Amino acid sequence: DTEVTQTPKHLVMGMTNKKSLKCEQHMGHRAMYWYKQKAKKPPELMFVYSYEKLSINESVPSRFSPECPNSSLLNLHLHALQPEDSALYLCASSPPGLDGYTFGSGTRLTVV
Amino acid sequence: GENVEQHPSTLSVQEGDSAVIKCTYSDSASNYFPWYKQELGKGPQLIIDIRSNVGEKKDQRIAVTLNKTAKHFSLHITETQPEDSAVYFCAAQGFNDMRFGAGTRLTVKP
């Protein structure tokens, strides 16, 4: 298995809702990432997990809460989002050290 | 932190021509430079990478060059095909995370 699987592919949520994005990989990668991508922009790093521990939080608002239950799973819990949080949320994984990332296809999030 | 600049932002070529995309980086500690291709509705896909101890790397129609002294690296696509049309991102990685360039939208006209 050489893929990163993200669910759901599309999500529409209200500003008072609570939802979660899920990411799964079975490549044995011990680093996992959440990125946010707005239209016509590059991916922006949100969080990095290394060996299931949060190692980087790029000053992301607390309405985004990451979780890494085990080495294969990564979640992003969403609460009280704003319309400007609408974007493509990408999950990625990589082996330890300097190596390319494998990205999922993303969750297209719309906040109404 | 790392800052990666990428040019041009858009590039249109005729099928069969070559395409070149250039990037510069600021952090001399960066030593891994991947290139990603992103098609509509998909996540970025790694197409080629180069490490700081190598000056050039080639994979079929794609090649990447690195000038570590000048902090420049470039992607070269030869014999372009319509399926090469996509957004291409360069990136630079050092001790921590990876930073992306702004992207180049490549259009290959048949």
Side-chain angles (χ1 to χ4, degrees):
Chain A
D1 188 353
T2 59
E3 290 187 345
V4 172
T5 303
Q6 289 189 244
T7 55
K9 293 193 182 304
H10 302 275
L11 179 63
V12 179
M13 61 184 291
M15 289 187 283
T16 58
N17 290 161
K18 285 185 180 180
K19 296 287 184 182
S20 297
L21 310 185
K22 297 186 182 301
C23 173
E24 189 169 2
Q25 58 88 15
H26 297 286
M27 294 176 282
H29 291 174
R30 302 308 296 272
M32 296 186 75
Y33 313 84
W34 280 115
Y35 279 85
K36 174 183 178 180
Q37 187 177 28
K38 300 284 268 186
K40 299 185 178 181
K41 296 291 186 181
E44 294 177 19
L45 183 66
M46 299 175 71
F47 303 104
V48 179
Y49 273 85
S50 180
Y51 292 89
E52 296 92 69
K53 293 193 187 308
L54 183 65
S55 61
I56 294 179
N57 176 341
E58 289 286 320
S59 302
V60 179
S62 60
R63 57 186 184 267
F64 295 91
S65 175
E67 177 195 21
C68 189
N70 59 55
S71 61
S72 299
L73 294 174
L74 187 66
N75 299 321
L76 186 63
H77 302 297
L78 314 174
H79 174 54
L81 295 193
Q82 304 297 310
E84 58 264 30
D85 296 322
S86 299
L88 179 68
Y89 288 83
L90 292 162
C91 173
S93 70
S94 71
L98 295 177
D99 213 331
Y101 294 4
T102 301
F103 281 88
S105 292
T107 294
R108 175 75 58 189
L109 175 67
T110 303
V111 181
V112 296
Chain B
E2 178 63 273
N3 181 43
V4 180
E5 294 192 1
Q6 182 173 346
H7 300 280
S9 56
T10 61
L11 180 59
S12 182
V13 300
Q14 207 66 38
E15 182 177 359
D17 288 350
S18 294
V20 180
I21 302 171
K22 298 183 178 183
C23 290
T24 61
Y25 62 99
S26 60
D27 189 352
S28 56
S30 292
N31 48 17
Y32 175 66
F33 307 93
W35 286 87
Y36 290 86
K37 174 183 180 182
Q38 188 172 23
E39 296 175 292
L40 197 62
K42 297 184 179 181
Q45 178 187 9
L46 179 70
I47 56 171
I48 196 167
D49 56 14
I50 192 166
R51 299 176 194 276
S52 60
N53 58 348
V54 175
E56 183 174 358
K57 183 177 179 180
K58 189 174 182 180
D59 182 5
Q60 299 183 352
R61 297 186 295 109
I62 295 173
V64 57
T65 59
L66 171 65
N67 182 330
K68 197 160 170 61
T69 302
K71 298 194 183 111
H72 291 169
F73 57 114
S74 300
L75 177 71
H76 305 252
I77 306 174
T78 59
E79 301 172 24
T80 54
Q81 301 167 3
E83 51 265 38
D84 294 329
S85 296
V87 178
Y88 291 81
F89 292 101
C90 64
Q93 183 177 1
F95 294 111
N96 293 314
D97 57 289
M98 182 165 56
R99 300 291 172 170
F100 288 86
T104 296
R105 180 171 298 278
L106 173 64
T107 303
V108 180
K109 294 178 284 186

